[in-house]
């Protein structure tokens, strides 16, 4: 189920981050500073990109002091400060899977060369712009362990588009701009949110198992280890023992 798949993806992401916490913190700090500069404000109430970046950082347990210091540095940054550009790359992985890679970089030539090298070394191929992006849609995703009817009704009343239930809980899908309205309503109703983030969701998935699944995970890990890469999304439907 989509709900189960989302829970598995979050668990895998957090498990990987536990082993590379310093690098993960750096990626979030870069995203926060880029959001401040691109949005022209250090106030998340008036800068949705910053609000999303802060929420993502908090979901990965980045300390509040680190977040606040990153915002202060970005607000006070003058001429000569690094200017990070948001870029998206598309490609293909083992088993015919589609990959969408989001990066923040101050040197596009370096970043694309690094990403291409990983694809070539790990059995994938870098695609052209538009080759796979059409298969993904930006959505807000909330995870909570409570599967009660009240939780589902509260989510629907405040803008949830889809709810998937699994043994682990609910995966609630919203429009990207409705994520926080649904989150705030659930919290106000007394529900505990396990994770809330804006994500790129594939319209269809590709079942991948065995050697292809293992090669795909190695490829994704290698891409995520690149300093400039912020997020890697795939349309792979992996078996539980590979996630």
């Amino acid at each position: 189920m989509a709900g189960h798949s989302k829970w598995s993806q979050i668990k895998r992401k957090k498990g990987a981050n536990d082993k590379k916490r310093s690098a993960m913190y750096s990626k979030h700090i870069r995203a926060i500073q880029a959001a401040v500069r691109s949005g022209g404000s250090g106030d998340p109430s008036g800068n949705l990109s910053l609000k999303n970046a802060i929420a993502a950082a908090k979901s990965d347990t980045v300390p509040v002091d680190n977040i606040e210091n990153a915002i202060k540095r970005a607000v006070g940054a003058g001429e000569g400060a690094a200017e990070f550009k948001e870029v998206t790359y598309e490609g293909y992985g083992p088993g015919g899977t589609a990959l969408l890679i989001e990066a923040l970089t101050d040197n596009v030539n370096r970043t694309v060369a690094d990403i291409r090298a990983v694809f070539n070394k790990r059995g994938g191929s870098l695609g052209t712009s538009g080759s796979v992006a059409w298969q993904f849609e930006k959505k807000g995703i909330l995870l909570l362990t409570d599967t009660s009817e009240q939780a589902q009704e509260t989510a629907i009343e405040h803008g949830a588009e889809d709810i998937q239930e699994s043994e682990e809980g609910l995966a609630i899908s919203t429009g990207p701009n409705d994520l926080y309205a649904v989150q705030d309503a659930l919290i106000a109703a007394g529900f505990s949110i396990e994770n809330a983030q804006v994500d790129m969701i594939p319209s269809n998935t590709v079942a991948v198992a065995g050697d292809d699944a293992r090669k795909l995970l190695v490829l994704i890990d290698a891409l995520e280890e690149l300093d400039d890469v912020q997020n890697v999304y795939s349309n792979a439907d992996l078996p539980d023992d590979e996630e």
Side-chain angles (χ1 to χ4, degrees):
M1 293 179 65
H4 174 73
S5 175
K6 198 65 200 170
W7 278 95
S8 299
Q9 290 173 31
I10 294 297
K11 280 184 175 180
R12 179 183 170 274
K13 179 173 180 286
K14 287 186 177 295
N17 284 340
D18 287 341
K19 293 179 284 188
K20 325 178 253 194
R21 189 166 299 277
S22 177
M24 177 266 291
Y25 281 8
S26 296
K27 289 177 186 287
H28 282 301
I29 295 305
R30 180 184 292 194
I32 288 168
Q33 292 179 329
V36 170
R37 301 200 71 183
S38 65
S41 170
D43 180 3
S45 66
N47 184 339
L48 183 58
S49 293
L50 177 58
K51 191 170 186 176
N52 289 335
I54 292 172
K58 287 182 176 179
S59 74
D60 280 338
T61 67
V62 177
V64 173
D65 286 349
N66 294 38
I67 293 171
E68 292 177 348
N69 288 336
I71 294 172
K72 290 176 183 176
R73 287 197 299 271
V75 169
E79 292 297 324
E83 190 72 51
F84 290 105
K85 178 181 180 182
E86 295 181 8
V87 287
T88 302
Y89 300 98
E90 304 167 47
Y92 302 93
T97 52
L99 293 172
L100 190 67
I101 301 127
E102 294 177 342
L104 278 173
T105 180
D106 57 353
N107 186 325
V108 173
N109 291 334
R110 178 196 65 223
T111 303
V112 69
D114 288 346
I115 290 175
R116 180 179 288 110
V118 170
F119 270 113
N120 291 342
K121 185 177 180 180
R122 302 297 183 183
S125 60
L126 186 62
T128 57
S129 178
S131 57
V132 305
W134 58 273
Q135 299 182 53
F136 295 84
E137 185 177 7
K138 184 175 287 188
K139 291 289 183 183
I141 299 292
L142 299 103
L143 303 180
L144 62 160
T145 54
D146 193 314
T147 59
S148 67
E149 186 173 325
Q150 183 188 355
Q152 299 186 42
E153 288 178 351
T154 300
I156 291 170
E157 287 172 3
H158 291 85
E161 296 179 350
D162 183 61
I163 298 176
Q164 296 288 339
E165 184 176 347
S166 73
E167 293 179 356
E168 297 180 282
L170 299 178
I172 300 170
S173 174
T174 76
N177 295 330
D178 296 327
L179 173 66
Y180 299 107
V182 176
Q183 175 182 264
D184 292 346
L186 286 166
I187 291 173
F191 298 105
S192 177
I193 306 296
E194 294 292 315
N195 188 272
Q197 65 187 60
V198 175
D199 217 338
M200 296 299 290
I201 306 300
S203 54
N204 293 291
T205 57
V206 175
V208 185
D211 195 43
D212 278 342
R214 289 186 287 275
K215 288 179 179 178
L216 175 62
L217 291 176
V218 169
L219 169 60
I220 291 174
D221 282 343
L223 288 168
E224 289 179 338
E225 287 175 1
L226 295 175
D227 289 342
D228 295 337
V229 170
Q230 294 294 112
N231 296 295
V232 180
Y233 305 103
S234 85
N235 66 345
D237 181 7
L238 294 163
D240 292 346
D241 59 351
E242 295 291 355
E243 293 171 333

